[in-house]
Each structure stands twice: as structure tokens, then as C-alpha cells.
């Protein structure tokens, strides 16, 4: 038993890394989704989501909707025909200062199962989140990208961030996040005259962040088709309209599944990592909020002993857990 368990963990690590390594795309069709209708800073700093292979329905940013079947069963899905970008604003303070998180959440119909690459995150109603963190001067200092299950998080600083806030040994070089190559720094301040937008590129199928760049909006629009996605408050996800005029939540509202996205089951991830993370709901998309209200932590690690420190909702603690000094 002492030999089998470590070997099993090594095999699982290998499967995890291989399954989630980026696969190069050649001549993939891309579409830029641009937020419209938000207010103030939320609109000003909204990332442009550049979606790979947008002609496939499961890659289109959609809108969660709900209905009731003829048998009286509630059905919740993501409608790929109508895009929505959900937004929220949260504030937090540290000993060094005050910050504002601008939160952008998107959802997709599904992440289809594939063998090559092995997609352990296959499931329905999946999503992704981008967070732009502003300092007290309303300057963007961090971009954070993460799946709406808490997987594959990445923190990218901008050149507005004070030098004292960087992790020890940070050199600004390219970062590799489970096979995806992301920049180590975003030079927003240096390129301010160009009025660049943060472009977050989303990979086909897995919907992972596969790249981040700075581009003027007109450059993006000239390079690819553009879809204008209306803004909606994240709280709207808790009030999806039903046919009879009542509403239901995108998330389970009670029991041991409270706070988890309805229909977003990840059986393969549960099989592979449930024991490791001490969570039979590992990998399932969830509400981004405090555990006391949502029922589940928005943790960003598979190591069960560190889930509290890696809870992304407690953003200052999350940054410190990852070596930053906010």
C-alpha cells in the first residue's frame, strides 16, 4: 500500500499534465467578444475575449437559461445563440493599500470530451473568469484568469504594480500554466498612448486561457469578426426566468451541492482527483463568492490542506499564498 499510493499519485500527475497541455491550433477561426453596456471602470477595463473556433456552438460565449420539461423537471443550460458577459465589482484592503476587483464571467454550452488531448474537464455549463485588479488610483495592476471551477489560475502583473509587491525572484519572463504560454508582464503603462485593451484568448474546447496580449480595439476588430456582448450583473445568474414567470438560480441553492453550477458535472475529474483534493465535487464550476454564502470554497489548488489559503474569493490571502505582497 505504501508503494502503490505514491505511484498512483505520480501516474495521476502525469495524466493531469499531459491531458491539460496546450495543443497548437493552425488557422483556427477566432472571434472577438467585446463587452458593451457596462458602466465606468467596468467598461473601461473590460478584457476582450478572443475565442478560438467560434464557429462551433460549444465555443460561443452564451447566456445561461432555464426551462421546465413536460415532466416538470427543471432544465438549466447555456444558450450559445446569445452572448452575455457577467460583471461584478469587489473591494479589498491590505496593509499596503486598497484595491478594486473588476470581475468578468463568461459561460459556454459545454466542454466536449476528447481523447487527444484527453479533456478531463469535459462537462456542461462550463465557464471562465477574468479579474482586473485596480489600485487606489484606479490603475490596473493585476490580471487574473481562471476557470469557473477554480482550475488553471494565472496571475499576471502590469507595469502599474509597485516593485515591492512582486514575489521574490520574479523576472517577468513568460509563464507556462499547464502547457499554456502566458506573458509574465503586461505593459499597460508603457503602451498607454496606444489605448490598448487586454485581449484574453480562449482555447477551443477546453475554454482555457491560452494567451494574453495588449491590442488596440480597432486592431482586434480589423483582424477578426467582432461580437458585442451585453453586460449583466453576476447576481442575474441567480434569477434565470422560467416559462411560468418565476425564477431559478444557475447554482444549486441548498444541500451539499449548494453554490455549484447546475448540470456542470465533471465525472472524470472527480474520478482522478476527488480523493487527492478531498472533494467529490472537484472541478465542478461554481459560484465565485464566500464559502459562508455559497457553500463551497473557490479554491485554486488540488492539495486539500491548502484549499483555504488558495481560496480566490479572499483575494489578498490568495495573492499572498501565491507569493505576491499586495
Amino acid at each position: 500500500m505504501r508503494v502503490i499510493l505514491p505511484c498512483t499519485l505520480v501516474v495521476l500527475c502525469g495524466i493531469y499534465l499531459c491531458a491539460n497541455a496546450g495543443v497548437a491550433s493552425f488557422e483556427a477561426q477566432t472571434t472577438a467578444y467585446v463587452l458593451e453596456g457596462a458602466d465606468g471602470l467596468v467598461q473601461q477595463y473590460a478584457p476582450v475575449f478572443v475565442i478560438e473556433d467560434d464557429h462551433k456552438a460549444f465555443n460561443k460565449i452564451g447566456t445561461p437559461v432555464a426551462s421546465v420539461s413536460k415532466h416538470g423537471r427543471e432544465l438549466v443550460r447555456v444558450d450559445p445563440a446569445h452572448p452575455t458577459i457577467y460583471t461584478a465589482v469587489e473591494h479589498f484592503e491590505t496593509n499596503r493599500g486598497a484595491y478594486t476587483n473588476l470581475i468578468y464571467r463568461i459561460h459556454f454550452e459545454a466542454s466536449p470530451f476528447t481523447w487527444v488531448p484527453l479533456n478531463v474537464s469535459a462537462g456542461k455549463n462550463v465557464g471562465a473568469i477574468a479579474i482586473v485588479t485596480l489600485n487606489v488610483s484606479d490603475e490596473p495592476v493585476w490580471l487574473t484568469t481562471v476557470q469557473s471551477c477554480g482550475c488553471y489560475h494565472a496571475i499576471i502583473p502590469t507595469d502599474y504594480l509597485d516593485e515591492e509587491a512582486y514575489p521574490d525572484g520574479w523576472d517577468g519572463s513568460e509563464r507556462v500554466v499547464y502547457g499554456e504560454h502566458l506573458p509574465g508582464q503586461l505593459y499597460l503603462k508603457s503602451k498607454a498612448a496606444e489605448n490598448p485593451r487586454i485581449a484574453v484568448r480562449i482555447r477551443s474546447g477546453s475554454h482555457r486561457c491560452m494567451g494574453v496580449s495588449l491590442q488596440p480595439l480597432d486592431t482586434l476588430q480589423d483582424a477578426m469578426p467582432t461580437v458585442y456582448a451585453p453586460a449583466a450583473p453576476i447576481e442575474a445568474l441567480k434569477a434565470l426566468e422560467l416559462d411560468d414567470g418565476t425564477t431559478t438560480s444557475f447554482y444549486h441553492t441548498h444541500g451539499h451541492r449548494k453554490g455549484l453550477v447546475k448540470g456542470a458535472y465533471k465525472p472524470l475529474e472527480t474520478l482522478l482527483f476527488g480523493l487527492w483534493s478531498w472533494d467529490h465535487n472537484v472541478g465542478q464550476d461554481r459560484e465565485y463568492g464566500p464559502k459562508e454564502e455559497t457553500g463551497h470554497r473557490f479554491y485554486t489548488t488540488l492539495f486539500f490542506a491548502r484549499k483555504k489559503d488558495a481560496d480566490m474569493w479572499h483575494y489578498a490571502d490568495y495573492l499572498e499564498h501565491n507569493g505576491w505582497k499586495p
Side-chain angles (χ1 to χ4, degrees):
M1 179 66 180
R2 293 179 181 177
V3 175
I4 292 174
L5 183 57
C7 290
T8 302
L9 290 177
V10 169
V11 171
L12 290 178
C13 285
I15 294 173
Y16 184 65
L17 292 173
C18 293
N20 294 288
V23 175
S25 297
F26 299 96
E27 299 181 358
Q29 176 180 325
T30 55
T31 299
Y33 283 76
V34 178
L35 179 71
E36 67 173 358
D39 295 327
L41 296 172
V42 174
Q43 182 68 48
Q44 179 179 346
Y45 291 118
V48 176
F49 292 99
V50 178
I51 312 297
E52 187 182 48
D53 287 339
D54 175 74
H55 61 285
K56 298 176 181 177
F58 59 76
N59 286 328
K60 295 180 181 294
I61 295 177
T63 299
V65 295
S67 60
V68 178
S69 72
K70 62 181 180 180
H71 302 293
R73 181 185 175 189
E74 181 183 282
L75 302 174
V76 173
R77 65 184 181 88
V78 175
D79 178 7
H82 302 93
T84 301
I85 298 176
Y86 294 89
T87 67
V89 178
E90 295 290 338
H91 305 280
F92 67 97
E93 294 186 7
T94 70
N95 293 332
R96 292 171 53 84
Y99 299 89
T100 300
N101 273 350
L102 308 178
I103 303 164
Y104 305 87
R105 181 171 183 142
I106 56 176
H107 275 279
F108 302 90
E109 179 182 48
S111 177
F113 177 77
T114 57
W115 282 107
V116 181
L118 177 60
N119 183 12
V120 299
S121 300
K124 296 181 179 180
N125 299 345
V126 297
I129 296 172
I131 298 177
V132 177
T133 303
L134 308 181
N135 61 19
V136 70
S137 301
D138 289 336
E139 298 165 333
V141 291
W142 283 291
L143 168 73
T144 304
T145 62
V146 67
Q147 304 296 93
S148 58
C149 57
C151 303
Y152 312 122
H153 69 111
I155 306 169
I156 305 174
T158 82
D159 51 352
Y160 283 108
L161 184 65
D162 293 338
E163 292 183 7
E164 295 80 6
Y166 284 82
D168 295 336
W170 186 267
D171 61 4
S173 59
E174 180 184 74
R175 298 190 60 206
V176 180
V177 181
Y178 294 106
E180 304 291 5
H181 294 257
L182 305 178
Q185 183 94 24
L186 293 176
Y187 295 94
L188 280 167
K189 183 178 181 180
S190 301
K191 297 184 177 181
E194 302 173 20
N195 193 26
R197 298 288 293 273
I198 297 173
V200 176
R201 183 158 178 161
I202 303 295
R203 183 174 294 283
S204 171
S206 68
H207 305 130
R208 290 180 53 195
C209 174
M210 63 180 289
V212 178
S213 62
L214 299 178
Q215 301 284 345
L217 184 57
D218 55 359
T219 299
L220 288 167
Q221 292 172 322
D222 290 342
M224 64 192 72
T226 301
V227 173
Y228 289 92
I234 278 182
E235 287 299 305
L237 289 169
K238 297 181 180 180
L240 307 183
E241 293 187 5
L242 292 168
D243 301 333
D244 61 2
T246 61
T247 62
T248 189
S249 178
F250 190 46
Y251 315 106
H252 292 280
T253 56
H254 59 276
H256 69 281
R257 300 184 66 79
K258 180 180 178 181
L260 301 178
V261 170
K262 294 174 180 176
Y265 301 105
K266 303 284 183 65
L268 188 54
E269 277 196 273
T270 297
L271 176 65
L272 291 176
F273 308 117
L275 182 60
W276 191 352
S277 61
W278 209 251
D279 180 8
H280 63 278
N281 295 306
V282 62
Q284 185 164 344
D285 300 78
R286 59 196 60 203
E287 183 178 357
Y288 180 58
K291 179 187 176 184
E292 296 75 19
E293 297 178 13
T294 67
H296 288 82
R297 292 191 187 282
F298 197 93
Y299 62 86
T300 54
T301 179
L302 284 174
F303 298 99
F304 69 90
R306 304 176 69 182
K307 288 194 293 187
K308 182 178 180 180
D309 293 333
D311 186 343
M312 196 167 155
W313 177 255
H314 299 287
Y315 210 78
D317 295 339
Y318 161 76
L319 287 171
E320 290 178 3
H321 172 71
N322 287 282
W324 300 90
K325 304 166 187 176

